[in-house]
Amino acid sequence: MSDRRSLIRNKINLKDYLKELSALVGYPVSGTELGDIESGIDIRSRYRKYTGKPKRVSDTLFLALKTPRFAAFVDDLRQANPSPVYIVTAGTMDCGTFLVPSLGAIKWDFDFWINSAGILVFLSSDLEDSLLLDFSISDASEHILKIETQGDHWGRIAY
């Protein structure tokens, strides 16, 4: 992608991306806290090589994010791989990476409409594990959540 096109996409998407990240961590995130765009591209290409790693998939209601069961699940993931975590959304490729100390730093009470893609990915900084949340609306108008863990540690833990 050309540098000019990349700058334009960054300018267009940065405000929404920072708002999304702020909702996920519970404090205002600024552009100075973001890593560079090239790191995001590298992380995405390395993440795509996860095929073959252990994987678990569960479907539930979106409201499950706010339950003690989900909190315990996240704690199990954090204990299995306590590495810092990249939050990856559509904005990451345009605006830069964002790293938090662990999955414990995420505020799981975010709104269903946090982004238009309906997908959030959390990657351990060692790139060994991932947690994908894919939210959608069912035919019965229910807010549905697909939870997918993958990797040598997280891929063995089911919701």
Side-chain angles (χ1 to χ4, degrees):
M1 184 182 304
S2 74
D3 287 337
R4 183 170 182 225
R5 185 178 295 169
S6 181
L7 286 171
I8 290 169
R9 289 178 62 88
N10 177 282
K11 187 121 180 123
I12 290 169
N13 296 313
L14 185 60
K15 182 179 176 184
D16 287 338
Y17 183 54
L18 293 175
K19 182 179 174 185
E20 178 181 29
L21 293 173
S22 297
L24 289 169
V25 295
Y27 64 85
V29 175
S30 72
T32 60
E33 297 176 76
L34 301 179
D36 59 45
I37 294 168
E38 290 76 23
S39 294
I41 294 168
D42 179 55
I43 288 166
R44 182 175 64 179
S45 69
R46 291 171 59 191
Y47 168 68
R48 288 185 174 164
K49 296 178 183 170
Y50 270 46
T51 56
K53 296 244 183 188
K55 180 189 336 192
R56 300 280 179 124
V57 179
S58 300
D59 293 307
T60 188
L61 294 175
F62 184 81
L63 292 174
L65 291 173
K66 299 174 176 90
T67 65
R69 178 181 174 201
F70 190 81
F73 167 70
V74 169
D75 194 51
D76 289 345
L77 295 176
R78 188 185 54 75
Q79 288 180 32
N81 185 345
S83 298
V85 175
Y86 290 105
I87 299 174
V88 180
T89 74
T92 302
M93 299 309 119
D94 295 327
C95 302
T97 57
F98 186 68
L99 189 67
V100 296
S102 75
L103 282 176
I106 306 299
K107 304 297 180 201
W108 300 103
D109 61 349
F110 57 84
D111 188 74
F112 180 82
W113 303 105
I114 192 165
N115 69 34
S116 60
I119 294 178
L120 296 171
V121 179
F122 303 90
L123 293 174
S124 62
S125 61
D126 60 10
L127 302 179
E128 292 295 320
D129 296 291
S130 70
L131 167 64
L132 180 140
L133 302 179
D134 183 352
F135 29 104
S136 59
I137 299 176
S138 73
D139 292 339
S141 298
E142 295 175 306
H143 291 178
I144 303 298
L145 177 67
K146 178 172 118 178
I147 302 168
E148 178 181 300
T149 55
Q150 191 166 12
D152 291 329
H153 308 98
W154 295 354
R156 300 181 193 289
I157 299 170
Y159 172 69

